[in-house]
Amino acid sequence: MAQNQDETLQNRILLSRLLTRCGDQAWDFAVPVTLIMLFPSQLPLVAFLYLIAKLGAFVFQPWLAGVIDQWKRLNTAALATTLQLVSVLCVAFCIFQLAEKTDTSAALWTQPALWPLLAGISLGSIASALGAGLMDISVGSDWIPTAVPAHQLSRFNSRLQRLDLLTEVLAPVIAGTILAAGNEGNRLTGFAVIVVWNAVSFIPELLILRNVFHSSNRLQLLKTESSTAARSSLLSQITAGWSEFARQPAAPAMVAYAFLWLSALSPHGVLLTGFLKGGWNMSETTLGVFRGLGAIFGLLATVIFPRVRRQFGLITATRFFIVFQALILLLSLPFFYTEALGGWLFLLTILLSRIGLYGFSLGETEIRQTSLPEGVRGKVNGVANALTSLATLLLFASGSALAGVNQFAFMVIISAGAVLTGALIFVRWSLQPARSATADIATKDSN
């Protein structure tokens, strides 16, 4: 009976995640595509708005995620959902207003009357990033390790990542189809459909989480709220989050993961896609297939990792996957500089590296779930997410400085070097005799 209850609870969490990811992926795809469609010559502005959102997430995520440690879990989920709903409505309103009022013959930032609308899109994008990050941290790093039995975490995390990869591929395809169909009439009809899709999906998402919350006694346990933290200034709370992160024994594992976000060698990454299109003249169909294969290789990791983890233990398995990714990307370097067959081998090595990336991601996630005390999960994971946002900012800054197709070779070297650095950090941490409070979870799982 208890096993059936656990399975039902886990399926409900997965259903909520499906709604969350589908909406997030469709929205992240639709907003930049719609802006580029409306203002095809304003690509730098679109990139700037994206960077603003990442910067906002980097600065404020550690502070906002602190509410996870102080509020009831259901209230935290409601806050995350509200932030995302407000952001969708705000960004949608500003985009519709821009479409009506904009003089497309001039750059948007040279029209002062449009600055409030551009600011609205920036603030809405920041709120969206914060809300999505808060929901991911709350459910992934607090609800799941609390509600899911420890011996089932590895299996459940694999199912969760499998679902994420499927939505990563399917949601943009569905959103693109909606945008294309809508543009045959009014150019913003498809975008309006996606706005409604996102706004409506928040209701069942929150209702499902409410059901999960009331079905689990462990989730309903009150947390110890720090009155001192509640009275602290914003700067003090952010500083406290970084200090708490630095004190965690598993902090090096999270830093290693952040370094992986400095890589441009991703099948669905903007920088690599731009190079393959502009430098190697690949067709849209080929690029689409390459992106889809990236997800398939990621799915392979969700099947392989649990088996390796059962055989060798969590720490050893996680180390294997990040070392595998680093070695494969180092192997890709000579293929990048060769013609014809070498180019295809370069793409093949990138696909193979996804197995290492997603396998390590599963292991690193479980290390967080099992090693972080309940009272600091929000703050610590908020800082960890801020580090990945910082890595993304640095990646796009490097991409902007090395904007030419002929200079992408430097991005390949930087990417391989960043992954290698992350691997060395994790290997060094994992091989320390008294490496962390997570040492006991390196033993083989019983399931």
Side-chain angles (χ1 to χ4, degrees):
M1 180 66 71
Q3 184 175 356
N4 290 336
Q5 290 177 342
D6 286 340
E7 188 69 24
T8 299
L9 195 70
Q10 292 173 29
N11 288 335
R12 289 172 183 168
I13 294 175
L14 289 171
L15 179 57
S16 171
R17 180 74 158 212
L18 176 65
L19 293 172
T20 298
R21 286 300 193 193
C22 280
D24 289 347
Q25 293 288 351
W27 186 249
D28 290 344
F29 178 84
V31 171
V33 168
T34 300
L35 288 172
I36 293 172
M37 176 193 69
L38 293 173
F39 318 109
S41 62
Q42 307 293 330
L43 183 58
L45 178 62
V46 175
F48 175 75
L49 295 175
Y50 175 84
L51 289 175
I52 287 293
K54 286 296 181 182
L55 181 61
F58 168 69
V59 174
F60 295 110
Q61 192 78 74
W63 162 71
L64 183 64
V67 305
I68 295 173
D69 305 321
Q70 302 171 18
W71 290 16
K72 289 183 178 180
R73 291 182 170 93
L74 191 57
N75 292 344
T76 302
L79 173 61
T81 302
T82 301
L83 276 173
Q84 290 178 286
L85 176 59
V86 170
S87 72
V88 166
L89 297 177
C90 177
V91 171
F93 173 79
C94 293
I95 287 178
F96 278 105
Q97 291 297 308
L98 277 176
E100 291 181 3
K101 299 179 179 180
T102 303
D103 175 12
T104 57
S105 64
L108 296 183
W109 55 75
T110 63
Q111 305 177 55
L114 302 181
W115 291 352
L117 296 177
L118 296 176
I121 294 176
S122 296
L123 292 175
S125 298
I126 292 173
S128 178
L130 291 175
L134 182 61
M135 183 65 82
D136 282 351
I137 296 171
S138 178
V139 175
S141 301
D142 187 29
W143 288 54
I144 290 174
T146 301
V148 177
H151 68 279
Q152 296 181 13
L153 271 177
S154 179
R155 172 178 171 269
F156 182 79
N157 287 334
S158 295
R159 295 173 65 192
L160 196 69
Q161 189 172 90
R162 216 168 291 150
L163 183 147
D164 287 349
L165 285 164
L166 288 173
T167 58
E168 182 180 306
V169 175
L170 296 178
V173 172
I174 296 172
T177 303
I178 292 173
L179 289 174
N183 291 341
E184 293 180 2
N186 185 296
R187 58 181 179 169
L188 287 178
T189 300
F191 178 68
V193 171
I194 294 175
V195 171
V196 174
W197 168 9
N198 270 266
V200 171
S201 69
F202 291 131
I203 299 173
E205 176 186 342
L206 191 56
L207 289 176
I208 293 170
L209 287 178
R210 184 175 182 273
N211 181 275
V212 171
F213 177 79
H214 289 296
S215 300
S216 172
N217 292 330
R218 286 171 291 187
L219 288 175
Q220 296 177 50
L221 292 176
L222 294 176
K223 303 175 184 178
T224 302
E225 180 175 353
S226 172
S227 58
T228 302
R231 293 193 299 267
S232 300
S233 66
L234 172 61
L235 181 60
S236 298
Q237 292 183 51
I238 293 175
T239 303
W242 285 91
S243 298
E244 187 65 54
F245 176 86
R247 285 195 292 269
Q248 295 305 311
M254 292 179 271
V255 172
Y257 180 67
F259 267 95
L260 305 190
W261 286 70
L262 272 168
S263 173
L265 302 180
S266 167
H268 59 267
V270 174
L271 296 176
L272 180 59
T273 300
F275 168 76
L276 294 178
K277 179 63 178 174
W280 287 2
N281 297 315
M282 286 192 172
S283 67
E284 288 78 4
T285 302
T286 303
L287 292 173
V289 171
F290 181 55
R291 176 169 178 157
L293 287 174
I296 291 174
F297 276 78
L299 286 171
L300 286 176
T302 67
V303 177
I304 298 171
F305 178 83
R307 299 178 182 180
V308 179
R309 190 246 189 273
R310 283 195 299 269
Q311 183 69 28
F312 299 101
L314 176 58
I315 302 298
T316 302
T318 306
R319 181 171 63 236
F320 167 79
F321 279 92
I322 192 172
V323 170
F324 177 81
Q325 183 191 6
L327 292 178
I328 289 295
L329 288 182
L330 289 175
L331 178 64
S332 74
L333 294 179
F335 294 140
F336 179 79
Y337 294 98
T338 57
E339 299 292 334
L341 181 60
W344 292 107
L345 290 175
F346 171 71
L347 298 183
L348 177 60
T349 55
I350 290 178
L351 292 175
L352 288 172
S353 74
R354 309 308 282 175
I355 298 176
L357 170 63
Y358 285 105
F360 176 76
S361 177
L362 284 169
E364 191 266 351
T365 296
E366 191 174 345
I367 289 171
R368 290 197 213 186
Q369 291 171 334
T370 54
S371 68
L372 297 181
E374 184 175 303
V376 299
R377 288 173 181 168
K379 289 192 291 287
V380 173
N381 280 284
V383 172
N385 277 24
L387 285 175
T388 60
S389 295
L390 175 61
T392 303
L393 283 170
L394 294 175
L395 176 64
F396 276 87
S398 301
S400 299
L402 303 171
V405 169
N406 294 331
Q407 296 175 307
F408 189 77
F410 294 104
M411 292 302 303
V412 174
I413 296 173
I414 291 172
S415 299
V419 173
L420 178 61
T421 301
L424 291 175
I425 291 172
F426 186 84
V427 168
R428 182 178 184 276
W429 171 78
S430 67
L431 293 178
Q432 291 175 357
R435 61 178 172 270
S436 68
T438 64
D440 57 337
I441 62 178
T443 58
K444 297 179 183 179
D445 202 338
S446 59
N447 65 340

